[in-house]
Amino acid sequence: GGHGGHNGLRDIVPHIGNDFHRLRIGIGHPGHKEKVHGHVLGRAPKAEQDLLDQALDEALRLTPMIVQGDIARAMSQLNGFKPS
């Protein structure tokens, strides 16, 4: 739960509270603080997009487990996921 610094979630929290689950996917760091904004909002390079797609596919595969309430098991599997 919580917004974790994400401005979109920061806007939502006052309406729904902090009690929610979220999927966080890291995208790396461009190396310089000044480049973060463009890096986060820009299009991912092909290699990174492929990794992102694999992570999202794995999260979707685990969605039924989450819906059934086995969040801890789904989190464990997702946290152990290694893209190819």
Side-chain angles (χ1 to χ4, degrees):
H3 61 74
H6 188 284
N7 287 333
L9 291 178
R10 188 184 316 260
D11 290 342
I12 293 171
V13 166
H15 301 284
I16 67 169
N18 284 314
D19 189 20
F20 59 88
H21 298 283
R22 60 191 167 118
L23 174 64
R24 294 175 63 185
I25 298 176
I27 61 166
H29 195 282
H32 296 286
K33 182 179 177 181
E34 300 78 29
K35 295 181 179 180
V36 169
H37 187 265
H39 181 74
V40 170
L41 298 178
R43 184 173 300 275
K46 173 84 171 106
E48 288 184 27
Q49 185 63 54
D50 288 344
L51 295 173
L52 177 60
D53 290 344
Q54 289 179 51
L56 290 172
D57 286 346
E58 182 68 2
L60 288 172
R61 187 184 73 76
L62 295 171
T63 298
M65 190 182 302
I66 295 166
V67 171
Q68 293 170 356
D70 201 353
I71 295 169
R73 184 170 154 225
M75 285 175 47
S76 177
Q77 288 188 25
L78 191 56
N79 288 334
F81 173 72
K82 302 287 186 237
S84 56

